[in-house]
Structures are given as structure tokens and as C-alpha cells.
Amino acid sequence: MTARITLVQGDITRQRADALVNAANSSLLGGGGVDGAIHRRGGPDILAECRALRASHHGKGLPTGQAVATTAGRLDADHVIHTVGPVWSATEDRSALLASCYRESLRVAADLGARTVAFPAISTGAYGWPLADAAHIAVRAVREALTAAPGPALAPDEVRFVLFDEAAYEVFEEALAATG
Ligand code: AR6
């Protein structure tokens, strides 16, 4: 079965999904936006695991475009997948790194056997990426990853974009229609 790509407007920390993706930073130690909300609502277990991951595997921090998983703490999910989006640049094309966030998060989700994966609009807040461009990159990257999945056993049933406000929802709706 081909995974469904769905859109909802809302707070990602209120979603039920096997895996929720966090728009983290390289430190893995929290921040504002989605990151702050996930740690606030998810509780201290997530940060404790982030610290351990940082110490054992990523002493220098998680590189941009990569993804790692932790517990979801008190969130209504089994896992949080932390990925680090690129900071928007007007002079350098970093879109491959943004696409990599989606691809790597889906790879980690497949390793975990997650059937439903919820993404925020990575890099479109504090990291300043223009929303329409980020939406196209996100939708294209997810479609490509789902097409490339080695078989139905590893492909999720649903990939959900969770958009914080109506404007972001509409931009993603257009991107989904344009690349469909
Ligand atoms: N649920 C869904 N979407 C949200 C939520 C939420 N609870 N809160 C914000 N958004 P951002 P980034 C939207 O800044 O740009 C952090 O400090 C928001 O409107 O969370 O990747 C990290 O620690 C925007 O469209 O992530 C990093 O330092 C989108 O989610 C840095 O920010 C992403 O905004 C990462 O910046």
C-alpha cells in the first residue's frame, strides 16, 4: 500500500502518531518553537535521552540533515525523531539538507517500525526558510522517500504534515497539489 500523505492544522505535540519529528538544533538540548513544545509537553525523559545520545554518539552535536530517535516521554507517541534543519540562506542553496531531514527521519522511522509519522514544517520558524519553498522541498522529499522504500513492510501507512497555522496549512495544500 502506498503511504498516504495527510495535512492537519495544529500543534504537533497534540498529535497521536507512532513517531513525531522534532525540528531540533545540533545541540539536541532543546530550544524554542516545536523543540520547546516537545520538551515541555513530553517531559524530562526526552532531554535525558538526548543528552545520552549527544554524549555517546554525537559529542559534537547532530549534523544538519541527520536524524536520531528518543522516547516520546509523555507525548501520545512511541518515539520522537529529532532532526536538524538548515538555517535558510539567501546566498547558498541548502535545499538538499532540508530534503535530507525528511528522508533521514523516514529512514529512522522505518528502522523503528513506525507506521504513522508526523512532521512539522522544518526550518520554517527560527531558521527562516520561506514557507512555500520549504513546503515544496518537504513534499517532494517525502514522496521520493516513499517511492524509494524497499517494500510495503518498511513504508509507513501515513506521513502527516502538522502545520501550526492556517496560512502554513494552505501553502502545504498547494505544494501537495502541485507535486501530486
Ligand atoms: N506544532 C506544530 N508546528 C509548530 C509548533 C507546534 N507546537 N510550534 C511552532 N511550529 P521552529 P526551525 C511551526 O522554529 O525553523 C528551535 O529553537 C512554526 O510556525 O520550531 O526548524 C530549535 O531548537 C514553523 O512553521 O523550527 C532550533 O534551534 C515550524 O513549526 C530552531 O528552533 C518550524 O519552526 C529550529 O528552527
Side-chain angles (χ1 to χ4, degrees):
M1 190 185 93
T2 312
R4 289 176 305 136
I5 299 179
T6 58
L7 303 180
V8 302
Q9 187 189 331
D11 179 343
I12 196 164
T13 68
R14 304 276 185 176
Q15 297 289 308
R16 159 70 215 153
D18 293 341
L20 302 180
V21 177
N22 181 19
N25 61 60
S26 288
S27 80
L28 290 177
L29 299 179
V34 172
D35 202 8
I38 281 183
H39 284 288
R40 243 185 341 267
R41 187 169 291 274
D45 290 357
I46 301 175
L47 188 59
E49 256 192 70
C50 282
R51 282 190 201 283
L53 271 173
R54 190 177 146 80
S56 60
H57 298 105
H58 302 287
K60 296 193 185 100
L62 183 67
T64 304
Q66 295 193 18
V68 289
T70 65
T71 175
R74 293 195 291 260
L75 295 169
D76 195 7
D78 297 327
H79 313 278
V80 171
I81 297 172
H82 308 261
T83 190
V84 182
V87 176
W88 160 254
S89 165
T91 54
E92 189 189 337
D93 181 6
R94 298 178 179 165
S95 51
L97 285 169
L98 183 55
S100 172
C101 289
Y102 290 95
R103 192 173 56 243
E104 288 301 305
S105 296
L106 287 174
R107 191 183 56 72
V108 170
D111 287 348
L112 295 165
R115 310 300 304 177
T116 50
V117 184
F119 281 99
I122 298 164
S123 288
T124 66
Y127 283 177
W129 206 293
L131 198 55
D133 192 49
H136 280 91
I137 293 165
V139 168
R140 200 177 313 123
V142 168
R143 281 202 204 283
E144 280 173 12
L146 293 176
T147 309
L154 287 175
D157 299 327
E158 182 191 359
V159 176
R160 188 185 314 152
F161 289 108
V162 183
L163 294 323
F164 211 30
D165 56 34
E166 198 177 337
Y169 181 93
E170 284 170 5
V171 167
F172 268 74
E173 206 172 29
E174 277 169 30
L176 206 52
T179 62

